[in-house]
Amino acid sequence: MDGEPLVRWRWLGDHLGYLWGLLQDHAVISLVPVLIGLALALPLGLLCTRFPRLYQPLAALFNVVYALPSLAVFVVLIPYTGLATRETVMIPLTCYALAVLLPTTVDGLRAVPEPVRQAATALGYGPWRRLATVELPAAVPYLVAGLRVAAVSSISLASVGALVGRGGLGYLFIDGFQRTFPTPIVAGIVLVALLALVTDAVLLLARRLLAPWAVRERGARR
């Protein structure tokens, strides 16, 4: 890359549509698995709180999955889900997100004081109403904390999918490396960082809206 400027602004201007398309694809393949992971973590977390013996085996299983190299998992899935498909990348990312979200979901549900549960029951709340109006709202800070970690990790890992034909902004890293052209690499780094920052800011806003009492408690402790 000797003599090549770090950023060619004209190239960026000429490829705005291309960059926008890659950003959209990256957002889908990285964030949809997090939402699916959350949808799976909630019922599994509820089961683990009702039947505590389930938690350790499930947590151990997902920890093993989380430790597997993402590229190796992508390659193993290719014969079943195809090359350059979203499914090849999204299935492992869903498992990784679930490995992060299951413990935070269980911790959040366990954090509800037993007297609070008993008071809700005494007021005539059934199990599902108590879950929806008492337990899940109390677990929101834990859930958002897990979502922040899972989302940022997924946004980063999704770039590796470019090596199997579907990696969103990861294409920019491969393209820049193969052509010894740093501009796409810099653009990819900036866009991945921006996507992570925006996603994190949205989750923080969601926590503030869904659990304002948690924000007030943190401020009071300071």
Side-chain angles (χ1 to χ4, degrees), residues 64-83:
V64 170
V65 173
Y66 194 77
L68 297 176
S70 56
L71 181 57
V73 180
F74 295 157
V75 172
V76 169
L77 283 175
I78 287 175
Y80 307 99
T81 56
L83 183 65

Side-chain angles (χ1 to χ4, degrees), residues 96-218:
Y96 295 151
L98 187 53
V100 174
L101 292 171
L102 180 61
T104 56
T105 302
V106 172
D107 289 343
L109 293 173
R110 287 177 174 173
V112 181
E114 189 58 32
V116 174
R117 289 194 178 94
Q118 294 175 355
T121 303
L123 290 173
Y125 285 34
W128 292 109
R129 185 183 178 190
R130 187 182 66 191
L131 174 67
T133 60
V134 177
E135 296 176 354
L136 284 180
V140 164
Y142 294 84
L143 292 174
V144 172
L147 283 170
R148 292 176 68 190
V149 175
V152 172
S153 299
S154 188
I155 290 170
S156 176
L157 288 172
S159 300
V160 182
L163 296 174
V164 294
R166 199 61 183 257
L169 295 169
Y171 288 127
L172 297 174
F173 304 137
I174 295 176
D175 180 43
F177 178 76
Q178 290 178 338
R179 295 195 290 155
T180 62
F181 183 32
T183 300
I185 298 175
V186 174
I189 292 172
V190 171
L191 290 174
V192 167
L194 283 176
L195 180 59
L197 289 172
V198 170
T199 301
D200 192 62
V202 170
L203 290 172
L204 285 174
L205 178 61
R207 186 186 67 179
R208 182 178 292 273
L209 294 175
L210 295 173
W213 49 268
V215 178
R216 289 195 295 268
E217 286 181 359
R218 174 177 289 188

Side-chain angles (χ1 to χ4, degrees), residues 21-33 155 158 168-169 195 199:
L22 291 180
L23 179 62
Q24 289 178 306
D25 190 47
H26 198 98
V28 170
I29 64 177
S30 61
L31 297 180
V32 170
I155 290 170
L169 295 169
L195 180 59
T199 301

